[in-house]
Amino acid sequence: MEMDKYLEILSAQIRNSRARAMAVKEIRDHIEDQTQMYESRGMTREEARREAVRQMGDPVETGEGLDRIHRPDMDWKLLGWIAAFSILGLIIQYVCFYGLKDMAGSSEGAFIRQCIYTAAGLALMTGVCLCDYSILGNYGDLMGVCFLGGIVVICSLDIFPRENGAYGYLKYMMYLFVPVYGGILWRRRGRGYRGIAAGFLWIAAAFITGTKFVGGGFSITANAVAACGVMLLMALWKDWFGVSRRAGLIMAPVLVGGACLLLLSGLRSYQIRRLKVLFYPEAYANEAGYFTYNIRKIISVLSMNRNTYGVLGQKGLLEFWNHCGIPGGYMLLQSAIILGLGKTMVLCGIYGAFFFYLFSMAIREKNSLGRLTGIGCAAVLAAETVQNILYNAGIGLTYSGGIPFLSYGGIHTMVIYVILGILLSIYRYRRLVWDSGAQEHGKEGKRQGIQIGAYVIRVEKRESHLQP
């Protein structure tokens, strides 16, 4: 059979266009390599080509085998986690807050709006999941420029209303820089110290955009920057840049120290006072330590299993608590008041199991872009959750913007579901997106065969066959 006819029949068996193009290219190259080998053994060009094609086996069988493994595959466990958390979050919000009529912001209309936000977020997540995440690697730099540049332009034009001098509607958007940064780093593979420097400069650009232009929401920008720092350190560990691992480990403390200095340089006077409040809340009980001081008093009266809402009235804390903006960042503490501290601790444990699954899923990803981006997305969600738990416990350094699935707000909800959609896309396309060239960095080892997803075409004693 002629090579072109063979490839035509084989490609017709593969339904996904991306897998079809890659498989045809790899098998064509393999046939050409085999042809050259047979020619070197004395065969004519025509004889060598026919033998190389024959050794590939039946094109229909080979094509069907590739089609079985190269198709989208939903992570139903993760989808189940997300659906369960979405429903559980709405139930907890209603039982612990919106169902109570005497608390500020606890109207049923606000709960209905949050239900609409959640439904819209799930729809947006589905759309993102169906998109091929590898676009991040192809257009990472362009997306980074458009993302940060667009935020700067919007802030400069003063399009959105300000809240306390900050663009509250934009601050959560900084989380979306994290997956974009995965593509930016992926494009820096094999570029040595220049690639490392570029990675650090992109983090600095995101930090400046979040703190100087968006303003406010320092903790949100810090979460995004911290997740990007984790990704950069991971890329150093995996030797993406062609720099030795020893050099990367030496550079790691410098990069972390520089990032800390960068974060501290952006602290404003009221944020510095919050650092002092962490250790001496009583000394600032009437100013910067007002929230922390009263939150710790509330925690001191919590019961493991009983509702302590009435106790707050007896202690003179009810007026403070009813007007402290629970939907934003205090739903965990509110659930501890209504449901008991024990149930809330179980909820925090479930969050821990959820993030353990996210990280384990990302670490198992074979594609380097998918693994790095997945870890970054999981890290930024985990950072926000841990920060929120600490703040609800009265030991947070800065105000937490919220917590996934429990905090009120349209923009925050949408951003969280977009990130979850990217994680689903990474799993969904794990059989369709694989690294071309080096698997981890620019130093490609000697290939023992032609990798096509989960199959390896190997040549052993003039016989080629597909091995799963």
Side-chain angles (χ1 to χ4, degrees):
M1 185 182 296
E2 294 293 331
M3 180 178 68
D4 291 339
K5 183 65 175 177
Y6 181 92
L7 294 175
E8 179 184 347
I9 296 174
L10 181 144
S11 64
Q13 315 308 314
I14 304 174
R15 286 169 287 184
N16 184 271
S17 59
R18 182 182 181 89
R20 185 188 309 125
M22 183 65 77
V24 168
K25 178 182 181 301
E26 292 284 0
I27 292 178
R28 183 188 296 276
D29 292 343
H30 179 64
I31 291 175
E32 292 292 349
D33 291 342
Q34 289 293 93
T35 299
Q36 293 178 12
M37 184 188 73
Y38 291 136
E39 281 186 293
S40 68
R41 296 180 179 181
M43 289 186 180
T44 65
R45 177 73 175 175
E46 185 177 350
E47 291 173 337
R49 176 66 60 79
R50 282 201 303 267
E51 179 62 17
V53 172
R54 186 187 71 81
Q55 294 285 0
M56 291 301 301
D58 180 69
V60 175
E61 181 182 349
T62 302
E64 288 178 347
L66 291 171
D67 180 65
R68 282 194 298 271
I69 63 169
H70 292 309
R71 57 185 176 187
D73 183 25
M74 180 64 70
D75 185 349
W76 296 108
K77 288 183 181 180
L78 178 55
L79 195 61
W81 273 105
I82 295 171
F85 259 117
S86 299
I87 296 172
L88 179 63
L90 290 174
I91 292 174
I92 290 176
Q93 288 180 60
Y94 184 80
V95 171
C96 297
F97 179 68
Y98 293 106
L100 306 177
K101 305 301 182 181
D102 56 346
M103 302 191 72
S106 62
S107 67
E108 291 187 358
F111 176 70
I112 293 174
R113 285 196 297 273
Q114 185 59 27
C115 291
I116 294 174
Y117 295 152
T118 301
L122 287 168
L124 185 60
M125 179 191 74
T126 302
V128 172
C129 170
L130 296 177
C131 295
D132 185 350
Y133 77 92
S134 64
I135 190 176
L136 297 170
N138 296 330
Y139 304 101
D141 290 343
L142 178 61
M143 295 174 71
V145 170
C146 292
F147 181 84
L148 297 181
I151 290 180
V152 170
V153 169
I154 291 173
C155 293
S156 300
L157 295 177
D158 207 19
I159 296 176
F160 291 99
R162 290 174 178 259
E163 296 178 358
N164 298 322
Y167 294 97
Y169 292 99
L170 288 176
K171 61 184 181 181
Y172 295 113
M173 298 294 290
M174 293 303 301
Y175 284 161
L176 298 182
F177 179 74
V178 173
V180 173
Y181 186 70
I184 291 172
L185 283 183
W186 192 82
R187 295 181 62 83
R188 297 289 178 294
R189 295 182 304 170
R191 297 192 182 182
Y193 292 103
R194 288 185 301 148
I196 298 172
F200 188 74
L201 289 175
W202 272 102
I203 293 179
F207 178 79
I208 293 172
T209 301
T211 55
K212 304 301 181 183
F213 289 92
V214 177
F218 178 84
S219 63
I220 296 168
T221 299
N223 290 338
V225 168
C228 291
V230 169
M231 297 165 73
L232 180 57
L233 292 175
M234 178 181 172
L236 281 168
W237 177 258
K238 291 294 184 179
D239 193 11
W240 271 26
F241 306 103
V243 177
S244 70
R245 181 172 293 180
R246 179 179 298 177
L249 291 176
I250 293 174
M251 292 185 65
V254 177
L255 292 175
V256 172
C260 292
L261 291 176
L262 188 65
L263 290 172
L264 291 175
S265 68
L267 290 176
R268 300 179 182 180
S269 57
Y270 74 91
Q271 291 167 331
I272 294 175
R273 287 198 299 273
R274 284 180 180 175
L275 293 177
K276 298 178 181 179
V277 167
L278 178 64
F279 302 101
Y280 306 104
E282 297 81 5
Y284 300 89
N286 296 321
E287 43 174 305
Y290 178 70
F291 276 90
T292 302
Y293 175 72
N294 285 282
I295 285 172
R296 291 186 181 183
K297 289 177 66 176
I298 290 174
I299 293 173
S300 67
V301 301
L302 289 178
S303 169
M304 288 298 293
N305 299 305
R306 291 185 293 105
N307 184 320
T308 53
Y309 187 67
V311 178
L312 299 184
Q314 300 173 8
K315 299 292 184 179
L317 296 169
L318 199 57
E319 183 177 356
F320 156 78
W321 188 241
N322 284 350
H323 296 85
C324 72
I326 295 167
Y330 292 102
M331 275 304 302
L332 278 178
L333 185 53
Q334 176 68 7
S335 68
I337 293 171
I338 303 299
L339 302 176
L341 185 60
K343 294 182 180 67
T344 304
M345 292 174 66
V346 171
L347 177 62
C348 292
I350 295 174
Y351 266 104
F354 175 65
F355 289 116
F356 177 82
Y357 182 81
L358 289 185
F359 280 110
S360 62
M361 182 204 76
I363 291 172
R364 291 195 306 268
E365 172 60 36
K366 301 298 183 183
N367 180 270
S368 55
L369 171 62
R371 181 167 58 253
L372 187 75
T373 304
I375 288 175
C377 289
V380 75
L381 295 179
E384 181 181 65
T385 302
V386 170
Q387 185 185 61
N388 185 268
I389 291 173
L390 292 176
Y391 198 76
N392 276 256
I395 54 177
L397 294 178
T398 59
Y399 177 72
S400 169
I403 184 171
F405 306 110
L406 282 179
S407 293
Y408 176 86
I411 299 298
H412 178 265
T413 300
M414 299 297 174
V415 168
I416 295 300
Y417 280 108
V418 167
I419 293 175
L420 292 171
I422 293 172
L423 287 167
L424 284 169
S425 177
I426 291 172
Y427 187 94
R428 175 179 168 80
Y429 287 94
R430 77 191 194 284
R431 296 178 176 178
L432 301 175
V433 180
W434 51 86
D435 293 328
S436 57
Q439 292 298 310
E440 294 294 348
H441 50 78
K443 299 178 180 179
E444 181 179 12
K446 182 179 179 181
R447 291 167 60 175
Q448 301 300 316
I450 296 178
Q451 179 75 34
I452 305 180
Y455 280 113
V456 178
I457 301 176
R458 298 186 183 276
V459 182
E460 298 176 359
K461 297 182 180 179
R462 297 181 61 185
E463 290 189 5
S464 300
H465 53 91
L466 287 174
Q467 296 182 346

